[in-house]
Amino acid sequence: STELQFADTVLLSVKAVGINFRDVLNVLGMYPGDPGAPGSDVAGVVVSSSIDSSLQPGTAVFGLTVGALGTAVSCSANTVVAMPPCLSFEAASSMPTVFITAQMALGAVTAVSNSEHVLVHAAAGGVGLAALQVLQNLGAVAVCTAGSPSKRSLLRSLGVSAVVGSRDSMFVGPLAAAGGVDVVLNSLTSPGMVAGSLSVLRRGGRFVEIGKRDIWAPAAMAAERPDVSYSLLAVDFLPDVVVQSALQHVAAGVAAGQ
């Protein structure tokens, strides 16, 4: 049925779905809490919309929903936005979670400024690669970890000069010798990784946790480093209005060639 019974909703014909780590944890039963049906990053075409929606049938959109692994999905009109014409459906579906996370973490949460040094863990992953683009636009310096030689080679090919391993805490030595970092964007959960990251975080630094498992409680962080501003960020817990604003920012950046 193409009839929508709830206000401010749209029915999409699904054209592409982006799979991310949240979906992996979901199907393995390892996600903390109830994430709903898998398939959250979506691109498609509006088939029908509630009377109060500004998204009209025929509009190509991308954004976030729940249970998009099918031919159609109903979602809030506030969590999808019009797709820039330069994007394919496949490219658009790969962007919502990773770019919202990167932009929120490095913008609204930590307010990274020009020339600051930012440690991006697992930088060859989706959020990491999005973060590199955000940092480049901000004029900040990316300091990256990645788990394999091929991933580290990829990061160097993208212009990152400071690249170290992420499989153990051996990254601490080189980063400490280089003077440390102002911000940490963390997703690593192995023992010693958070403590190691804190050891290279400069006094008064900012630490953003985007991982889903084995994260430090704010009290534990305050006990270890009371000078650090510690934030937990999860796109799936953001209000719809924040998601919409972030998606509009992503779409505008893509349209401007950023």
Side-chain angles (χ1 to χ4, degrees):
S1 171
T2 59
E3 293 189 14
L4 301 173
Q5 300 182 9
F6 299 99
D8 217 8
T9 58
V10 292
L11 179 68
L12 303 184
S13 172
V14 176
K15 302 301 183 183
V17 177
I19 302 298
N20 59 50
F21 190 55
R22 180 173 62 241
D23 295 305
V24 175
L25 293 178
N26 187 353
V27 299
L28 292 175
M30 299 172 63
Y31 191 90
D34 180 13
S40 57
D41 290 51
V42 65
V45 175
V46 176
V47 174
S48 61
S49 57
S50 57
I51 194 169
D52 54 345
S53 173
S54 62
L55 295 171
Q56 299 303 308
T59 305
V61 298
F62 73 124
L64 297 173
T65 186
V66 176
L69 293 176
T71 58
V73 66
S74 177
C75 64
S76 169
N78 295 320
T79 60
V80 293
V81 299
M83 263 175 54
C86 60
L87 282 182
S88 67
F89 287 111
E90 292 80 6
S93 71
S94 74
M95 298 182 70
T97 291
V98 297
F99 273 94
I100 291 175
T101 299
Q103 289 191 346
M104 292 288 294
L106 303 172
V109 176
T110 59
V112 171
S113 59
N114 183 57
S115 298
E116 284 196 304
H117 287 66
V118 180
L119 173 56
V120 181
H121 280 306
V127 173
L129 293 173
L132 294 184
Q133 296 180 57
V134 173
L135 291 172
Q136 183 178 33
N137 288 332
L138 292 172
V141 179
V143 178
C144 298
T145 69
S148 68
S150 61
K151 291 179 179 180
R152 293 191 287 273
S153 177
L154 168 65
L155 294 171
R156 293 187 183 99
S157 74
L158 295 174
V160 182
S161 57
V163 184
V164 291
S166 64
R167 296 286 171 83
D168 54 45
S169 58
M170 294 296 289
F171 67 85
V172 171
L175 298 191
V181 298
D182 302 290
V183 177
V184 175
L185 178 58
N186 185 61
S187 57
L188 301 181
T189 60
S190 299
M193 292 302 186
V194 172
S197 299
L198 287 174
S199 73
V200 299
L201 183 59
R202 294 168 180 162
R203 185 163 184 81
R206 292 93 80 198
F207 190 109
V208 186
E209 177 61 74
I210 61 171
K212 299 297 186 186
R213 304 177 66 233
D214 302 324
I215 61 177
W216 279 34
M221 181 62 71
E224 182 75 16
R225 285 287 302 270
D227 62 297
V228 167
S229 174
Y230 180 52
S231 302
L232 306 175
L233 177 61
V235 167
D236 36 339
F237 292 112
L238 294 175
D240 286 359
V241 63
V242 175
V243 171
Q244 184 181 53
S245 176
L247 282 169
Q248 288 170 342
H249 189 72
V250 171
V254 171
Q258 297 178 352

